[in-house]
mmCIF file of all heavy atoms in Angstrom:
data_model
loop_
_atom_site.group_PDB
_atom_site.id
_atom_site.type_symbol
_atom_site.label_atom_id
_atom_site.label_comp_id
_atom_site.label_asym_id
_atom_site.label_seq_id
_atom_site.Cartn_x
_atom_site.Cartn_y
_atom_site.Cartn_z
ATOM 1 N N ARG A 1 1.477 -9.011 -3.780
ATOM 2 C CA ARG A 1 0.077 -9.167 -4.162
ATOM 3 C C ARG A 1 -0.171 -10.552 -4.726
ATOM 4 O O ARG A 1 0.729 -11.200 -5.271
ATOM 5 C CB ARG A 1 -0.343 -8.095 -5.173
ATOM 6 C CG ARG A 1 0.308 -8.213 -6.544
ATOM 7 C CD ARG A 1 0.004 -6.989 -7.405
ATOM 8 N NE ARG A 1 -1.425 -6.846 -7.663
ATOM 9 C CZ ARG A 1 -2.015 -5.732 -8.093
ATOM 10 N NH1 ARG A 1 -1.272 -4.640 -8.294
ATOM 11 N NH2 ARG A 1 -3.322 -5.700 -8.310
ATOM 12 N N ASP A 2 -1.397 -10.984 -4.590
ATOM 13 C CA ASP A 2 -1.848 -12.242 -5.150
ATOM 14 C C ASP A 2 -3.122 -11.920 -5.910
ATOM 15 O O ASP A 2 -4.200 -11.829 -5.324
ATOM 16 C CB ASP A 2 -2.097 -13.274 -4.051
ATOM 17 C CG ASP A 2 -2.444 -14.641 -4.604
ATOM 18 O OD1 ASP A 2 -2.872 -14.736 -5.766
ATOM 19 O OD2 ASP A 2 -2.285 -15.627 -3.865
ATOM 20 N N ASN A 3 -2.988 -11.726 -7.204
ATOM 21 C CA ASN A 3 -4.134 -11.309 -8.002
ATOM 22 C C ASN A 3 -5.227 -12.376 -8.065
ATOM 23 O O ASN A 3 -6.404 -12.050 -8.220
ATOM 24 C CB ASN A 3 -3.682 -10.930 -9.416
ATOM 25 C CG ASN A 3 -2.926 -9.619 -9.449
ATOM 26 O OD1 ASN A 3 -2.962 -8.846 -8.493
ATOM 27 N ND2 ASN A 3 -2.232 -9.360 -10.545
ATOM 28 N N ALA A 4 -4.840 -13.633 -7.957
ATOM 29 C CA ALA A 4 -5.827 -14.702 -7.960
ATOM 30 C C ALA A 4 -6.734 -14.607 -6.743
ATOM 31 O O ALA A 4 -7.883 -15.050 -6.785
ATOM 32 C CB ALA A 4 -5.144 -16.060 -8.007
ATOM 33 N N LYS A 5 -6.220 -14.041 -5.663
ATOM 34 C CA LYS A 5 -6.993 -13.874 -4.442
ATOM 35 C C LYS A 5 -7.494 -12.450 -4.252
ATOM 36 O O LYS A 5 -8.123 -12.152 -3.237
ATOM 37 C CB LYS A 5 -6.160 -14.276 -3.229
ATOM 38 C CG LYS A 5 -5.745 -15.739 -3.212
ATOM 39 C CD LYS A 5 -4.943 -16.066 -1.958
ATOM 40 C CE LYS A 5 -4.559 -17.529 -1.930
ATOM 41 N NZ LYS A 5 -3.758 -17.855 -0.721
ATOM 42 N N ASN A 6 -7.200 -11.587 -5.208
ATOM 43 C CA ASN A 6 -7.586 -10.176 -5.113
ATOM 44 C C ASN A 6 -7.120 -9.562 -3.796
ATOM 45 O O ASN A 6 -7.869 -8.851 -3.121
ATOM 46 C CB ASN A 6 -9.102 -10.021 -5.255
ATOM 47 C CG ASN A 6 -9.582 -10.212 -6.678
ATOM 48 O OD1 ASN A 6 -8.790 -10.277 -7.624
ATOM 49 N ND2 ASN A 6 -10.892 -10.287 -6.841
ATOM 50 N N THR A 7 -5.883 -9.832 -3.457
ATOM 51 C CA THR A 7 -5.364 -9.409 -2.166
ATOM 52 C C THR A 7 -3.952 -8.837 -2.303
ATOM 53 O O THR A 7 -3.132 -9.363 -3.052
ATOM 54 C CB THR A 7 -5.341 -10.574 -1.168
ATOM 55 O OG1 THR A 7 -6.670 -11.101 -1.027
ATOM 56 C CG2 THR A 7 -4.851 -10.113 0.198
ATOM 57 N N VAL A 8 -3.702 -7.768 -1.583
ATOM 58 C CA VAL A 8 -2.371 -7.194 -1.489
ATOM 59 C C VAL A 8 -1.950 -7.242 -0.023
ATOM 60 O O VAL A 8 -2.787 -7.117 0.879
ATOM 61 C CB VAL A 8 -2.337 -5.755 -2.051
ATOM 62 C CG1 VAL A 8 -3.245 -4.825 -1.250
ATOM 63 C CG2 VAL A 8 -0.911 -5.222 -2.083
ATOM 64 N N TYR A 9 -0.654 -7.440 0.203
ATOM 65 C CA TYR A 9 -0.133 -7.597 1.548
ATOM 66 C C TYR A 9 0.948 -6.569 1.840
ATOM 67 O O TYR A 9 1.633 -6.080 0.944
ATOM 68 C CB TYR A 9 0.469 -8.989 1.740
ATOM 69 C CG TYR A 9 -0.470 -10.116 1.413
ATOM 70 C CD1 TYR A 9 -0.473 -10.702 0.149
ATOM 71 C CD2 TYR A 9 -1.355 -10.604 2.373
ATOM 72 C CE1 TYR A 9 -1.336 -11.739 -0.155
ATOM 73 C CE2 TYR A 9 -2.223 -11.645 2.077
ATOM 74 C CZ TYR A 9 -2.206 -12.209 0.814
ATOM 75 O OH TYR A 9 -3.070 -13.239 0.517
ATOM 76 N N LEU A 10 1.107 -6.281 3.101
ATOM 77 C CA LEU A 10 2.223 -5.472 3.560
ATOM 78 C C LEU A 10 2.846 -6.187 4.749
ATOM 79 O O LEU A 10 2.263 -6.212 5.834
ATOM 80 C CB LEU A 10 1.777 -4.065 3.958
ATOM 81 C CG LEU A 10 2.911 -3.118 4.370
ATOM 82 C CD1 LEU A 10 3.797 -2.785 3.168
ATOM 83 C CD2 LEU A 10 2.355 -1.840 4.998
ATOM 84 N N GLN A 11 4.007 -6.783 4.513
ATOM 85 C CA GLN A 11 4.746 -7.436 5.579
ATOM 86 C C GLN A 11 5.628 -6.400 6.247
ATOM 87 O O GLN A 11 6.471 -5.790 5.592
ATOM 88 C CB GLN A 11 5.594 -8.580 5.021
ATOM 89 C CG GLN A 11 6.445 -9.292 6.067
ATOM 90 C CD GLN A 11 5.612 -10.043 7.078
ATOM 91 O OE1 GLN A 11 4.696 -10.770 6.708
ATOM 92 N NE2 GLN A 11 5.915 -9.859 8.363
ATOM 93 N N MET A 12 5.457 -6.217 7.533
ATOM 94 C CA MET A 12 6.184 -5.204 8.276
ATOM 95 C C MET A 12 7.066 -5.885 9.314
ATOM 96 O O MET A 12 6.563 -6.572 10.207
ATOM 97 C CB MET A 12 5.223 -4.230 8.950
ATOM 98 C CG MET A 12 4.252 -3.565 7.980
ATOM 99 S SD MET A 12 3.190 -2.333 8.785
ATOM 100 C CE MET A 12 2.203 -3.415 9.827
ATOM 101 N N ASN A 13 8.364 -5.692 9.179
ATOM 102 C CA ASN A 13 9.327 -6.253 10.112
ATOM 103 C C ASN A 13 10.090 -5.132 10.805
ATOM 104 O O ASN A 13 10.100 -3.988 10.350
ATOM 105 C CB ASN A 13 10.312 -7.166 9.385
ATOM 106 C CG ASN A 13 9.648 -8.351 8.724
ATOM 107 O OD1 ASN A 13 8.681 -8.905 9.241
ATOM 108 N ND2 ASN A 13 10.176 -8.765 7.575
ATOM 109 N N SER A 14 10.745 -5.477 11.889
ATOM 110 C CA SER A 14 11.545 -4.507 12.645
ATOM 111 C C SER A 14 10.760 -3.233 12.913
ATOM 112 O O SER A 14 11.242 -2.120 12.700
ATOM 113 C CB SER A 14 12.839 -4.191 11.885
ATOM 114 O OG SER A 14 13.603 -5.358 11.666
ATOM 115 N N LEU A 15 9.553 -3.400 13.392
ATOM 116 C CA LEU A 15 8.672 -2.263 13.598
ATOM 117 C C LEU A 15 9.208 -1.304 14.656
ATOM 118 O O LEU A 15 9.828 -1.719 15.640
ATOM 119 C CB LEU A 15 7.276 -2.747 13.984
ATOM 120 C CG LEU A 15 6.457 -3.280 12.810
ATOM 121 C CD1 LEU A 15 5.301 -4.129 13.310
ATOM 122 C CD2 LEU A 15 5.949 -2.125 11.956
ATOM 123 N N LYS A 16 8.946 -0.038 14.422
ATOM 124 C CA LYS A 16 9.378 1.031 15.305
ATOM 125 C C LYS A 16 8.160 1.799 15.806
ATOM 126 O O LYS A 16 7.125 1.815 15.150
ATOM 127 C CB LYS A 16 10.308 1.996 14.563
ATOM 128 C CG LYS A 16 11.515 1.348 13.927
ATOM 129 C CD LYS A 16 12.298 2.357 13.102
ATOM 130 C CE LYS A 16 13.505 1.726 12.450
ATOM 131 N NZ LYS A 16 14.259 2.700 11.626
ATOM 132 N N PRO A 17 8.272 2.461 16.949
ATOM 133 C CA PRO A 17 7.137 3.253 17.442
ATOM 134 C C PRO A 17 6.641 4.276 16.426
ATOM 135 O O PRO A 17 5.430 4.543 16.365
ATOM 136 C CB PRO A 17 7.707 3.935 18.688
ATOM 137 C CG PRO A 17 8.718 2.967 19.186
ATOM 138 C CD PRO A 17 9.361 2.412 17.935
ATOM 139 N N GLU A 18 7.534 4.836 15.625
ATOM 140 C CA GLU A 18 7.126 5.809 14.630
ATOM 141 C C GLU A 18 6.335 5.210 13.477
ATOM 142 O O GLU A 18 5.826 5.942 12.627
ATOM 143 C CB GLU A 18 8.335 6.581 14.082
ATOM 144 C CG GLU A 18 9.465 5.693 13.599
ATOM 145 C CD GLU A 18 10.562 5.533 14.633
ATOM 146 O OE1 GLU A 18 10.239 5.303 15.822
ATOM 147 O OE2 GLU A 18 11.747 5.642 14.264
ATOM 148 N N ASP A 19 6.227 3.888 13.429
ATOM 149 C CA ASP A 19 5.377 3.236 12.440
ATOM 150 C C ASP A 19 3.912 3.239 12.862
ATOM 151 O O ASP A 19 3.048 2.836 12.076
ATOM 152 C CB ASP A 19 5.822 1.792 12.205
ATOM 153 C CG ASP A 19 7.199 1.701 11.573
ATOM 154 O OD1 ASP A 19 7.499 2.499 10.662
ATOM 155 O OD2 ASP A 19 7.977 0.814 11.990
ATOM 156 N N THR A 20 3.643 3.652 14.081
ATOM 157 C CA THR A 20 2.276 3.681 14.581
ATOM 158 C C THR A 20 1.420 4.613 13.737
ATOM 159 O O THR A 20 1.753 5.789 13.557
ATOM 160 C CB THR A 20 2.246 4.130 16.045
ATOM 161 O OG1 THR A 20 2.911 3.160 16.855
ATOM 162 C CG2 THR A 20 0.812 4.284 16.539
ATOM 163 N N ALA A 21 0.328 4.087 13.208
ATOM 164 C CA ALA A 21 -0.543 4.861 12.335
ATOM 165 C C ALA A 21 -1.717 3.989 11.915
ATOM 166 O O ALA A 21 -1.734 2.785 12.154
ATOM 167 C CB ALA A 21 0.213 5.337 11.090
ATOM 168 N N VAL A 22 -2.680 4.624 11.282
ATOM 169 C CA VAL A 22 -3.709 3.884 10.573
ATOM 170 C C VAL A 22 -3.180 3.634 9.166
ATOM 171 O O VAL A 22 -2.759 4.568 8.486
ATOM 172 C CB VAL A 22 -5.043 4.651 10.514
ATOM 173 C CG1 VAL A 22 -6.057 3.900 9.672
ATOM 174 C CG2 VAL A 22 -5.581 4.872 11.926
ATOM 175 N N TYR A 23 -3.196 2.385 8.747
ATOM 176 C CA TYR A 23 -2.679 2.014 7.444
ATOM 177 C C TYR A 23 -3.815 1.797 6.462
ATOM 178 O O TYR A 23 -4.786 1.091 6.764
ATOM 179 C CB TYR A 23 -1.829 0.743 7.554
ATOM 180 C CG TYR A 23 -0.463 1.008 8.124
ATOM 181 C CD1 TYR A 23 -0.312 1.350 9.463
ATOM 182 C CD2 TYR A 23 0.673 0.943 7.320
ATOM 183 C CE1 TYR A 23 0.944 1.622 9.991
ATOM 184 C CE2 TYR A 23 1.930 1.208 7.842
ATOM 185 C CZ TYR A 23 2.059 1.549 9.171
ATOM 186 O OH TYR A 23 3.308 1.811 9.691
ATOM 187 N N TYR A 24 -3.675 2.387 5.291
ATOM 188 C CA TYR A 24 -4.689 2.318 4.254
ATOM 189 C C TYR A 24 -4.127 1.678 2.999
ATOM 190 O O TYR A 24 -2.991 1.949 2.614
ATOM 191 C CB TYR A 24 -5.178 3.719 3.876
ATOM 192 C CG TYR A 24 -5.808 4.503 4.995
ATOM 193 C CD1 TYR A 24 -5.029 5.286 5.845
ATOM 194 C CD2 TYR A 24 -7.180 4.481 5.189
ATOM 195 C CE1 TYR A 24 -5.609 6.024 6.866
ATOM 196 C CE2 TYR A 24 -7.768 5.212 6.207
ATOM 197 C CZ TYR A 24 -6.973 5.982 7.039
ATOM 198 O OH TYR A 24 -7.557 6.713 8.052
ATOM 199 N N CYS A 25 -4.913 0.858 2.355
ATOM 200 C CA CYS A 25 -4.544 0.403 1.030
ATOM 201 C C CYS A 25 -5.335 1.196 0.006
ATOM 202 O O CYS A 25 -6.405 1.735 0.298
ATOM 203 C CB CYS A 25 -4.763 -1.109 0.848
ATOM 204 S SG CYS A 25 -6.474 -1.666 0.931
ATOM 205 N N ALA A 26 -4.788 1.298 -1.188
ATOM 206 C CA ALA A 26 -5.404 2.086 -2.237
ATOM 207 C C ALA A 26 -5.145 1.439 -3.589
ATOM 208 O O ALA A 26 -4.141 0.753 -3.777
ATOM 209 C CB ALA A 26 -4.853 3.517 -2.219
ATOM 210 N N ALA A 27 -6.055 1.683 -4.524
ATOM 211 C CA ALA A 27 -5.965 1.116 -5.863
ATOM 212 C C ALA A 27 -5.779 2.221 -6.889
ATOM 213 O O ALA A 27 -6.469 3.239 -6.856
ATOM 214 C CB ALA A 27 -7.219 0.310 -6.179
ATOM 215 N N ASN A 28 -4.863 1.988 -7.808
ATOM 216 C CA ASN A 28 -4.479 2.950 -8.836
ATOM 217 C C ASN A 28 -4.780 2.349 -10.202
ATOM 218 O O ASN A 28 -4.123 1.394 -10.620
ATOM 219 C CB ASN A 28 -2.993 3.281 -8.678
ATOM 220 C CG ASN A 28 -2.421 4.098 -9.817
ATOM 221 O OD1 ASN A 28 -3.132 4.559 -10.703
ATOM 222 N ND2 ASN A 28 -1.106 4.288 -9.783
ATOM 223 N N LYS A 29 -5.735 2.915 -10.914
ATOM 224 C CA LYS A 29 -6.163 2.351 -12.190
ATOM 225 C C LYS A 29 -5.113 2.447 -13.282
ATOM 226 O O LYS A 29 -5.203 1.739 -14.286
ATOM 227 C CB LYS A 29 -7.457 3.011 -12.666
ATOM 228 C CG LYS A 29 -7.316 4.478 -13.041
ATOM 229 C CD LYS A 29 -8.658 5.051 -13.473
ATOM 230 C CE LYS A 29 -8.538 6.515 -13.856
ATOM 231 N NZ LYS A 29 -9.860 7.084 -14.232
ATOM 232 N N TYR A 30 -4.115 3.304 -13.113
ATOM 233 C CA TYR A 30 -3.078 3.445 -14.134
ATOM 234 C C TYR A 30 -2.143 2.254 -14.177
ATOM 235 O O TYR A 30 -1.433 2.050 -15.160
ATOM 236 C CB TYR A 30 -2.292 4.736 -13.920
ATOM 237 C CG TYR A 30 -3.121 5.973 -14.135
ATOM 238 C CD1 TYR A 30 -3.586 6.715 -13.052
ATOM 239 C CD2 TYR A 30 -3.464 6.383 -15.417
ATOM 240 C CE1 TYR A 30 -4.364 7.840 -13.252
ATOM 241 C CE2 TYR A 30 -4.242 7.511 -15.620
ATOM 242 C CZ TYR A 30 -4.693 8.234 -14.533
ATOM 243 O OH TYR A 30 -5.468 9.351 -14.736
ATOM 244 N N GLY A 31 -2.101 1.486 -13.117
ATOM 245 C CA GLY A 31 -1.376 0.230 -13.129
ATOM 246 C C GLY A 31 0.093 0.285 -12.778
ATOM 247 O O GLY A 31 0.727 -0.763 -12.671
ATOM 248 N N SER A 32 0.638 1.470 -12.585
ATOM 249 C CA SER A 32 2.045 1.593 -12.254
ATOM 250 C C SER A 32 2.212 1.961 -10.790
ATOM 251 O O SER A 32 1.423 2.737 -10.247
ATOM 252 C CB SER A 32 2.724 2.632 -13.141
ATOM 253 O OG SER A 32 2.112 3.899 -13.005
ATOM 254 N N ALA A 33 3.230 1.411 -10.168
ATOM 255 C CA ALA A 33 3.500 1.711 -8.768
ATOM 256 C C ALA A 33 3.829 3.182 -8.624
ATOM 257 O O ALA A 33 4.699 3.707 -9.318
ATOM 258 C CB ALA A 33 4.647 0.854 -8.258
ATOM 259 N N SER A 34 3.146 3.843 -7.725
ATOM 260 C CA SER A 34 3.294 5.281 -7.586
ATOM 261 C C SER A 34 3.167 5.713 -6.135
ATOM 262 O O SER A 34 2.340 5.179 -5.395
ATOM 263 C CB SER A 34 2.235 6.007 -8.420
ATOM 264 O OG SER A 34 2.246 7.395 -8.174
ATOM 265 N N PRO A 35 3.970 6.692 -5.723
ATOM 266 C CA PRO A 35 3.841 7.236 -4.374
ATOM 267 C C PRO A 35 2.866 8.410 -4.298
ATOM 268 O O PRO A 35 2.660 8.972 -3.226
ATOM 269 C CB PRO A 35 5.262 7.713 -4.071
ATOM 270 C CG PRO A 35 5.745 8.190 -5.405
ATOM 271 C CD PRO A 35 5.140 7.234 -6.421
ATOM 272 N N ARG A 36 2.241 8.762 -5.400
ATOM 273 C CA ARG A 36 1.404 9.942 -5.475
ATOM 274 C C ARG A 36 -0.040 9.635 -5.094
ATOM 275 O O ARG A 36 -0.725 8.850 -5.740
ATOM 276 C CB ARG A 36 1.450 10.527 -6.882
ATOM 277 C CG ARG A 36 2.864 10.791 -7.378
ATOM 278 C CD ARG A 36 2.858 11.301 -8.800
ATOM 279 N NE ARG A 36 4.208 11.441 -9.328
ATOM 280 C CZ ARG A 36 4.855 10.484 -9.962
ATOM 281 N NH1 ARG A 36 4.278 9.307 -10.163
ATOM 282 N NH2 ARG A 36 6.079 10.695 -10.400
ATOM 283 N N ARG A 37 -0.502 10.288 -4.051
ATOM 284 C CA ARG A 37 -1.854 10.057 -3.556
ATOM 285 C C ARG A 37 -2.917 10.313 -4.610
ATOM 286 O O ARG A 37 -3.912 9.580 -4.688
ATOM 287 C CB ARG A 37 -2.137 10.932 -2.338
ATOM 288 C CG ARG A 37 -1.414 10.513 -1.071
ATOM 289 C CD ARG A 37 -1.930 11.317 0.100
ATOM 290 N NE ARG A 37 -3.349 11.086 0.315
ATOM 291 C CZ ARG A 37 -4.118 11.820 1.116
ATOM 292 N NH1 ARG A 37 -3.586 12.835 1.782
ATOM 293 N NH2 ARG A 37 -5.400 11.532 1.264
ATOM 294 N N TYR A 38 -2.715 11.342 -5.417
ATOM 295 C CA TYR A 38 -3.749 11.727 -6.374
ATOM 296 C C TYR A 38 -3.926 10.716 -7.502
ATOM 297 O O TYR A 38 -4.906 10.792 -8.240
ATOM 298 C CB TYR A 38 -3.462 13.118 -6.953
ATOM 299 C CG TYR A 38 -2.194 13.234 -7.774
ATOM 300 C CD1 TYR A 38 -2.160 12.841 -9.108
ATOM 301 C CD2 TYR A 38 -1.033 13.767 -7.219
ATOM 302 C CE1 TYR A 38 -1.003 12.964 -9.860
ATOM 303 C CE2 TYR A 38 0.127 13.889 -7.967
ATOM 304 C CZ TYR A 38 0.136 13.487 -9.285
ATOM 305 O OH TYR A 38 1.287 13.615 -10.030
ATOM 306 N N GLU A 39 -3.013 9.793 -7.643
ATOM 307 C CA GLU A 39 -3.140 8.775 -8.679
ATOM 308 C C GLU A 39 -3.973 7.576 -8.233
ATOM 309 O O GLU A 39 -4.248 6.690 -9.037
ATOM 310 C CB GLU A 39 -1.766 8.306 -9.146
ATOM 311 C CG GLU A 39 -0.992 9.377 -9.906
ATOM 312 C CD GLU A 39 0.270 8.852 -10.562
ATOM 313 O OE1 GLU A 39 0.553 7.642 -10.450
ATOM 314 O OE2 GLU A 39 0.975 9.654 -11.200
ATOM 315 N N TYR A 40 -4.375 7.559 -6.989
ATOM 316 C CA TYR A 40 -5.160 6.442 -6.474
ATOM 317 C C TYR A 40 -6.640 6.775 -6.485
ATOM 318 O O TYR A 40 -7.058 7.844 -6.036
ATOM 319 C CB TYR A 40 -4.681 6.058 -5.077
ATOM 320 C CG TYR A 40 -3.324 5.412 -5.131
ATOM 321 C CD1 TYR A 40 -2.169 6.180 -5.162
ATOM 322 C CD2 TYR A 40 -3.202 4.024 -5.207
ATOM 323 C CE1 TYR A 40 -0.922 5.585 -5.262
ATOM 324 C CE2 TYR A 40 -1.957 3.429 -5.302
ATOM 325 C CZ TYR A 40 -0.821 4.207 -5.332
ATOM 326 O OH TYR A 40 0.414 3.619 -5.431
#
C-alpha cells in the first residue's frame, strides 16, 4: 500500500488458471490485517 496515494496493490506472479476470478478490494476500519469478510 501507498497511503500517500490512497492506493493498495496486489502483485500477482506465477498466475494459475484457478486464480481466475473477480478480485475485490476492501477496507477494514479496525486497522489490522484480517482474512475475515465481516470485518470489512
Side-chain angles (χ1 to χ4, degrees):
R1 68 189 298 163
D2 185 339
N3 288 345
K5 297 181 179 179
N6 286 350
T7 302
V8 62
Y9 305 94
L10 184 68
Q11 178 67 47
M12 304 184 292
N13 298 325
S14 301
L15 283 162
K16 304 174 180 179
E18 51 262 45
D19 294 319
T20 295
V22 175
Y23 283 70
Y24 299 87
C25 65
N28 171 7
K29 67 181 180 182
Y30 294 104
S32 59
S34 173
R36 307 177 185 90
R37 288 188 61 192
Y38 64 82
E39 292 189 1
Y40 290 84

